[in-house]
Amino acid sequence: MEKIAVAENLRAYYFIKSGDKTTSIRAVDNVSLHFFENEVYGIAGESGCGKSTLLKVLFGEIKPPLKLVDGEVVFKLDGEEYRINSMSLDQLKKIRWKYVSYVPQGSMSVLNPVRKIRRIFLDVIEEHTSMSREEAFSRIESYFEALGLPVRVLDSYPHQLSGGMRQRVTIALATVLNPKVIFADEPTTALDVVVQRGVIQLLKKIHKEQKNTLVIVTHDMGVHAHLATRIGVMYAGRLIEEAETHEIFKNPLHPYTRFLINSLPRFGDRSRKEGTPGSPPSLANLPSGCPFHPRCPIADQICMEMEPDLIEVARNHKVACWKVGVER
Amino acid sequence: MKFIKSYLIPRLIQYVYMVVIGITLVFLIPRLSPVDPIEQILNTRLRIQNTTPEAVIKMREVMEELYGLKGTLWEQYVNLWKRLLKGDFGPSMVYYPASVISLIRNSLPWTIGLLTLTTLISWVLGLVIGAILGYYKESFGSKILTGILMAINPIPYYIFALTLLLLFCYVFPIFPLGGGFSVGQKISLSWSFILDVIKHGTLPALSLIILGFAGWGLGTKILVQNLREEDYVVYARMMGLRNSKILFSYVLRNAMLPQVTGLGLSLGGIFGGAMMTEILFTYPGIGTLAYNAVRANDYNVMIAISFFSIIAVATALLILDLLYPLIDPRIRYR
Amino acid sequence: QFLNVPREQTVIVPGPKTANPGDFNVIAGWKDPHRGIQQLLLEPLWMDDPVRGEIINALAETGPIYNEDFTKMIVKLRKGVYWSDGVPFTADDVVFTVEMCMKYPEMARHMEFNEYIDKVYKEDDYTVVFELKKPNTRFHTYFIDRWGYWWPMPKHVFEKVEDPVGFTFNPPVGTGPYVLKDYDPAGYWVLWERREDWQRTPTGMIFGMPKPKYVLFYAYETDEKITLAFLQNQLDAAGIGPQALKALLKRSKYVKLYSDFPFVPLVDPVVGGITINTAKYPFNMKEVRWALALALDIVKLSETEEGNMLISALHIPPLPLYRKLYYEPLEEWLQNLTVNGVKVYDPDVPLKIAEVAKRYGWNVPDDPEKIKLGVGSGWWKHLPDVAEQLLLSVGFKRDKNGKWLLPNGTPWKIQLGTNPNDLVAFGVAQQWREFGIDVDVITTYISGINEGNFEVLITGNWPAPEPWGGHADLHRTLYFFHSKYQNKPLGEGVGHVSRWFDERLDKIIDEMEKLDWNDPRNIEFGREGLKILAEELPTIPIGTIGVLTTALVYNDYYWTNWPTLENPYMMPYWHWSQFKYLLTFLEPTGRK
Amino acid sequence: MRVSVRNLTKIFRVGSIFSLKKLVAIDNVSFEIGSGEIFSLAGESGCGKTTTAKILLGLEEPTNGEVLYDGIKLKDFVENEMHFLKKVQTVQQNPFSTFNPFRKVEDYLFKTVLRFKMANTKDEALRLIEEKLSVVGLNFDEIKGRYPSEFSGGQLQRISIARALLTNPSFLVADEPVSMIDASLRISIVNLFRDLKERFGISILYITHDLSTAYYVADKLAIMFRGSIVEMGRAQDILDTPFHPYTKLLKSSIPVPDPEYEWDENINLSSTEREEFFAKGCKFASRCPEVMSICRESVPPDFDVNGRVVKCWLYK
Amino acid sequence: MKRILRLFFDMWEDLRFKYAVTVLTALVLLSILSIFSPYDPYKWYVLPTNQPPSLEHILGTDGKGQDIFWLLTFSLKNSLILATIAAVFSRIIAITIGMLSGYLGGTTDRILMALTDTFMVMPVFPLLLLLSSLIKNYLSLPILGLIIGVFGWAGDARVIRSMILSLREREFVVTSKFSGMRTFEVVFGDFVPYLIPVISGGFIGSMMGAIGFEIVLAILGFTRVEIPTLGSMFHWMINFQAMLLGYWWWVLTPIVTAVFLFTALYTLSLSINEYLDPRTRMQRIGAVK
Ligand SMILES: Nc1ncnc2c1ncn2[C@@H]1O[C@H](COP(=O)(O)OP(=O)(O)OP(=O)(O)O)[C@@H](O)[C@H]1O
Ligand SMILES: Nc1ncnc2c1ncn2[C@@H]1O[C@H](COP(=O)(O)OP(=O)(O)OP(=O)(O)O)[C@@H](O)[C@H]1O
Ligand SMILES: [Mg+2]
Ligand SMILES: [Mg+2]
């Protein structure tokens, strides 16, 4: 499998100035990962651990107060390499939507309220291709048909659509140009389970037909189980475990991941389950050593002093924990 | 049907009570004060003529009769409505026996012509330029222009207009000193007449446009600055859309909505006239009529102007509310 | 350049703006007649001219002819006068107009006519007879035009009209030398054209041809615009404030002043000053009123106008006629007038004021006589000590800050009503404050003045009613003070708002009313009346106050031979009825 | 405490005050919550769960029907407001909006103690607060002087529960108390409810649309759809073998955290949510896979199936 | 107190806030300086008229023989007092009506909103003219302030009402209720913090409105022009034809002051609003770096 994007040592901090002192929020701290062609990569982790920030960095959308402190993201698209974090806005425009697109968190407000859906699609197509208006229209309509979305939606305004429909329209908008990589930030959160199911099915369908790389962020492990081929688990701005989906669910190695998987209630099982003890750390003021050690039941001295690296402990299974896997 | 019952009728009820309460206040304010409008007319006469004091008292009676100032407050109020509903605003006190309606009819076309045009121009200018200023708020040019607008905005209109007058009527005598058109011009639809009217209207219009533009521009700028951070604008930028497209189809289109209300109110407010402009440029219009009416305590004229202006603003708001769903698809007649 | 008539044949003067420009029927209602209607279109029976000090017979051929007991008045009309539409003017028109005015309460003179006229009829085409219900020695004054009011209207026009009150009289028909040519539907200007048959009007018959073919009344409204228009020679005459005058003098060499010093023309028969409500405590005390007068330093006060002030100590203006008849004969009496044993009159005030003007750079003549001609006679001395004694004598006290307390111990605060730009009034307030009296200046219109709702005014509510100006008779000034009008409780309307009256004056008025208007004994009574007013000082005449402080300027660019103080051939205003006569004296310069 | 809800109906007038259009948010709902029982109310969004909760809390007037607390009518109960609030408490959906960001969190705790006269002195109050905080696994020092923004969602939710416990309530209404919390914290909160029930015998109305947690804690479960309860009974029974087609759909739509699990078919969604509210007949008819003609005509009554209430013509 | 200080220093980072505070402080100081004025502002003709600026009279003298600089200090003081009165008064009405209407709802709401609607459509300027020409005898600064205030509350009352309506539905209000808090505690603890941006913005806005109205009224001669205010400075400047006569020092003084005053108030309201709005606040902090 070809790697379509590689990220090395990403560090992205929010710098917040209040009064005379600046605090940095280390939302993404030393994260390295890569994506293969035609895979669904899921990023899991509890809220506020830096998932959205990571996605923004990967997409090249870095604006104050967020700053990329270290690392870079390289895309290999049609044989060309793009160093996305050192590209100008004009250069970025050329690859966006054609090659890389983005489904933002909270689809409710990303559609221009006073523009019909059709016009919004047209805006995107006109901007990135040289299609004529008629071509564009037929393209949009056939795409909607292909996705099983009602075509009449095109003539509605965003507010006339239900939440689930709006989310699906946003997904269609992000994929209408058949991009190579799609970043989706919590595309199903805040949706009803029934609606959520529709959205997940839509994403699956697109992935199957377009064979592109889908990077999906959510903290709902159920969604990951349905969609992802590989999963990366984040904690406090770091990637702490990465493996194929089956592996993560069957054999979670990091204590945090273990809590995450095991605390999920399941039908037919009312036995008592334990959640992760303690509460997540503040990214502005991380504990020393492994950031998870205050909540970790198996932590010892080294965990408090030194931070573990993410290393491959089994085939395609990486973990950042002193207590896990092969000797370090 | 649903629209009529659930939206139009309640909205019309609101319209009616706004007008009724408004007129009532306008009726009450001068009447609850100790001012006697007739006294002023008598005073002027007394000063010039040798009218005997007895004659004055008799004249007063005649006048009270003529102006509907007889009877209790309530009777006067009922009478007022009787007259208003018939479209009769009574005679002017100063220009007796001319009817108030005829005075307003004389002034209104000028005011409407001047103010509709200038309001629209300054609104459009303010909207477009303000949007650009807000959208590129970091740019140097934007900061400079914003600064200029902020400095112009608070200059009292009178001073600003007088400066224009000195500049373009005296230092560079390009424009006439005032009036609606040249003396001796016959009102017609000929080119020369229209040109003449434009020439006379330019300076008053310019003064209104520049100051109006500064106001609208600053207002729009702030709106746009906030809109710039709306999710859909941020996302449009992420989608790689051109700035011009984002500015006009995403930002401006949305910035327009709140400003449309302002426009409606201003257009409705036209009935108040542009007092200062009219006084300074001796431009015919409702403003001087109102000004002189206030000074001469010409009740009927004041009530009529207030009446029209309340009706106009209320109507503008009503029309706006009815049109709003056309401009803003989010709003429906519920 | 924005005028579609030949500029060199046109005189342009300021006019008022009207909201109802199409209505020329000034006999009905109370609209402004000075858009050219009274000046150019209409002629009265008699015209009063304060500048020349005489009554001009206009449509009337002679003065009024009364019978023995003043119950009948005969008016002889001028022959050969035609209305502007070619119909001859006759006694029918006069009778018709009088009867019409008696019929409609909205019409001019309705009250007076109904009170006095028993019958009016024509004896022949040029003789009108008024039979009166009761004797009136001054009945004819209702027909004298000084600043508009009653003019004969064309019977042949009005008799066809169903509602003469609502009738707009457009196009108007008149006996004056001009006819309406055009007017602004927005009300800013009216253009008049000289009649082809100007000879068939009283103006033409008495004074000859009015020189300008056109007269334009144009409302420039503000001083700024008047100045700018003047500088561009788009205006031939104007009354402007001292500040605008300065700007004008600085920039134009065609400015011609009616009088160089003071620039305020001495032509209007009014006297401005301090009007006091003597029905209100403590102004009912003569001592208080005198104290207020003596606390003023008139010379310093004149600084508010840079020395450009007219002065009158008496309750009539120092017009040439009145100087001769009243000021000069009373000069000695004034000089000997004492208050609290101190002589209070200072005859040299004009010269001192001239010094002030000189200091401010105005062009002041050296000849003291010339100065007095412009400024007037003397005024009261600045005697704060006397003022102080007067106040103390009636129980006032000063507090430790030197502020005056009323006899009951409360602080004394005067409410002074005036106009927002009356500098003299502000000057008066300043000086009284300096003397220790608190003054609240109210610059907005005060209501209920006639009902007594005020303390002190410096406004158009003159200290005394105007005399005729063109006639020696002072009855018009005095009779408003008659106790039958004045002796009313607060809240009721009165004759003169000061509410002051005096038995001695009552007697004088009653005597005057028995005498023919032209009887020289009137003059003696007038002097006695003035003396009483000066002694009692119910109000304090000053001379020119803010509203009167306007310079009369002419533009010599297109027209010359404007009237001046040295050559006062006619009342010099364009808004007075005499304007039609003035126009006959003008000379075109021939400039294009 | 025993809570009985009888024939509860809530009709909202939609639109302006003059409008005649009605929206039946709750349609003739009856249920009973036993003492020391966790009763779960589940269903898709907008089906009327929150409205039911609000009525129970006295925040909203029912259009029809009544609520009885231990046999006492809600209206009479609410008369004595402080007493009512003391007995009936609430934990809300979103911990981040439960507290005013401009208020210190401890304010709420002290106010609750003092206003309900749970303690007389500040020290006593403090002791009480310490006690309840320890129940939810927090201590006062962590909270002192801090503003809501300084806490994580899980902490806030615990504080919120601790606050509700301060008055020793007998009945707790928890409206989606875990929907905004991370998966890893969710279970701890739900565990807490279990403990409360077991240790203090508190009755709990647990509103959620997360059926797996309902399965985990609830004794009884009611599935709501468009204002009506379509299925009600023992939680485990319902979720193990759902009867109503809607319950089936709901259950099958839950993304099971198991990569082996696959959905069998694509579902069909209504694109506008309002329509179903105004349909006559069974409101689920338009997307029910087992729809019959009667479903479109008349509203099914409540059928009793194996001790379960099912509102579906299939079980006639 | 410490919080307020910190707040201040935080905002001080904003250039506009710096400008606004600097200018306003300067202007307020200037108005306080009036205490030390060697001249009584109600005394005229104490100095030679129309003198250009000199060491003795740094802004020259006017046509009334007054020192323009010292007159300015009084004018500023009075204009600021007037503006504050108008602003406070209109805020009181706006807050009271907005809160009552939003909180009580029902008939009260409908009646109050009917009144509010009406005030929105009233022709403010003609009525202001009318009113000030009517009660002239009593037209002191505070009364003028009150009159201007009467016409300046409707819009904000509506905004406050709608904010209360939405705040009322916020979950934390339920929490407050279930914590046993009383109505006034809810209003002050829960609502007021959210209303503060609107109130402060409205306050500054109505100050600007009041100063502006006073200027217009004074130019037309509808106020008591003897009282030194910015408006009366304009009144006399126009009346004495200072522009035609080229007395630039007299013309420019009130203009420049007005421009500074307005821009400062305007930028202050901008920066306060932005600071209190959390979203833009973030953005601003980021941009400063
Ligand atoms: N614009 C910003 N300024 C300052 N801090 C920010 C900003 N955006 C996010 N943060 C902080 O950065 C951290 C990571 O945020 P991020 O949105 O990436 O988390 P997340 O994992 O996506 O969380 P969620 O599941 O809630 O979406 C959080 O602690 C958040 O408070
Ligand atoms: N005050 C109100 N006025 C009008 N309609 C309302 C009102 N409150 C709720 N509704 C409507 O009643 C229905 C039920 O709402 P409710 O909030 O009870 O649903 P819910 O089950 O809690 O939904 P969610 O899962 O989204 O919280 C919805 O359609 C809602 O739009
Ligand atoms: Mg996120
Ligand atoms: Mg809910």
Side-chain angles (χ1 to χ4, degrees), chain B residues 39-40 45 47-51 67 93-98 106 158 169-170 177 183 186 280 282-284, chain C residues 2 4 18-20 30-31 106 112 141 149 165 182 186 188 221 225 232 251 445 448-449 460 466 476:
Chain B
E39 177 189 327
Q40 228 175 11
R45 307 205 83 179
R47 230 178 282 157
I48 342 171
Q49 295 108 21
N50 55 341
T51 311
Y67 296 134
M93 301 193 175
V94 178
Y95 298 104
Y96 188 89
N106 279 340
Y158 196 92
C169 297
Y170 181 65
L177 275 169
V183 174
K186 282 280 164 249
L280 196 66
T282 39
Y283 198 82
Chain C
F2 294 100
N4 284 356
T18 174
N20 190 27
W30 14 90
K31 33 184 112 65
E106 296 95 328
E112 293 90 339
T141 57
Y149 202 27
V165 175
D182 199 358
Y188 281 95
E221 304 268 280
K225 294 202 38 201
Q232 293 174 10
R251 293 200 166 80
Y445 169 76
I449 287 176
E466 302 163 35
R476 193 174 193 266

Side-chain angles (χ1 to χ4, degrees), chain B residues 33-43 45-63 66-67 92-99 102-104 106-107 110 158 162 165-166 168-187 196 199-200 278-285 288-289 291-292 295 297, chain C residues 1-5 17-23 25 28-32 105-112 115-116 138 141-142 146-149 165-167 181-189 191 216 218-222 224-225 228-232 234 251 445-451 453 460-462 466 468 476 479-480 484-485 488 493-497:
Chain B
S33 84
V35 168
D36 177 358
I38 291 174
E39 177 189 327
Q40 228 175 11
I41 301 169
L42 289 177
N43 238 339
R45 307 205 83 179
L46 266 174
R47 230 178 282 157
I48 342 171
Q49 295 108 21
N50 55 341
T51 311
T52 55
E54 286 102 333
V56 170
I57 290 164
K58 278 185 201 133
M59 255 169 86
R60 171 180 289 276
E61 276 165 23
V62 170
M63 286 185 181
L66 289 173
Y67 296 134
S92 153
M93 301 193 175
V94 178
Y95 298 104
Y96 188 89
S99 70
S102 72
L103 300 188
I104 289 181
N106 279 340
S107 316
W110 296 101
Y158 196 92
L162 189 57
L165 199 75
L166 285 175
F168 294 110
C169 297
Y170 181 65
V171 183
F172 311 104
I174 321 172
F175 292 112
L177 275 169
F181 52 84
S182 294
V183 174
Q185 269 281 5
K186 282 280 164 249
I187 295 186
D196 193 52
K199 208 158 186 179
H200 281 75
E278 291 170 19
I279 293 172
L280 196 66
F281 291 99
T282 39
Y283 198 82
T288 33
L289 188 65
Y291 175 67
N292 291 328
R295 293 213 305 186
N297 288 312
Chain C
Q1 122 209 45
F2 294 100
L3 192 66
N4 284 356
V5 284
K17 189 216 175 241
T18 174
N20 190 27
D23 190 349
N25 183 8
W30 14 90
K31 33 184 112 65
D32 251 334
E106 296 95 328
M107 286 203 174
R109 294 275 175 243
H110 171 80
M111 300 296 169
E112 293 90 339
E115 189 178 348
Y116 285 104
R138 286 166 176 79
T141 57
Y142 297 144
R146 201 188 61 192
W147 198 79
Y149 202 27
V165 175
F167 179 51
K181 168 116 171 109
D182 199 358
Y183 67 92
D184 181 9
Y188 281 95
W189 51 263
L191 183 63
L216 177 68
Y218 198 105
Y220 284 107
E221 304 268 280
T222 61
E224 293 89 337
K225 294 202 38 201
L228 294 182
F230 206 101
L231 290 175
Q232 293 174 10
Q234 289 187 40
R251 293 200 166 80
Y445 169 76
I446 299 170
S447 65
I449 287 176
N450 205 33
E451 280 74 39
N453 176 30
N461 291 80
W462 315 124
E466 302 163 35
W468 282 102
R476 193 174 193 266
Y479 89 112
F480 274 77
K484 68 181 169 195
Y485 305 130
K488 300 252 175 80
V494 286
H496 186 260
V497 296

Side-chain angles (χ1 to χ4, degrees), chain A residues 59-162:
Chain A
F59 188 65
E61 184 72 15
I62 297 175
K63 273 191 314 189
L66 182 62
K67 258 183 90 176
L68 186 65
V69 177
D70 193 13
E72 63 171 356
V73 182
V74 183
F75 282 85
K76 294 198 191 90
L77 304 164
D78 284 347
E80 296 250 10
E81 284 204 347
Y82 295 92
R83 289 169 196 285
I84 202 157
N85 302 115
S86 47
M87 283 161 73
S88 74
L89 205 67
D90 284 336
Q91 290 169 318
L92 275 176
K93 262 186 199 172
K94 291 206 184 81
I95 67 160
R96 283 200 176 161
W97 252 250
K98 249 178 142 162
Y99 295 111
V100 187
S101 69
Y102 183 84
V103 181
Q105 192 166 6
S107 65
M108 297 305 186
S109 52
V110 298
L111 297 172
N112 185 352
V114 296
R115 215 157 168 74
K116 283 190 176 155
I117 305 292
R118 186 190 295 279
R119 300 283 314 193
I120 302 176
F121 273 81
L122 195 66
D123 286 344
V124 173
I125 293 176
E126 279 183 342
E127 190 69 51
H128 295 288
T129 69
S130 50
M131 266 184 231
S132 72
R133 195 160 276 216
E134 288 74 38
E135 280 175 293
F137 279 146
S138 66
R139 167 72 178 274
I140 299 166
E141 282 178 21
S142 59
Y143 189 59
F144 262 58
E145 272 159 24
L147 295 183
L149 298 176
V151 174
R152 66 182 170 86
V153 163
L154 283 173
D155 291 307
S156 322
Y157 288 100
H159 72 277
Q160 294 170 320
L161 305 179
S162 69

Side-chain angles (χ1 to χ4, degrees), chain A residues 274-294:
Chain A
E274 287 309 322
T276 324
S279 46
S282 146
L283 292 182
N285 187 15
L286 283 175
S288 62
C290 172
F292 190 62
H293 84 255

Side-chain angles (χ1 to χ4, degrees), chain D residues 50 93 175-176:
Chain D
T50 300
Q93 170 171 14
D175 188 358
E176 312 209 27

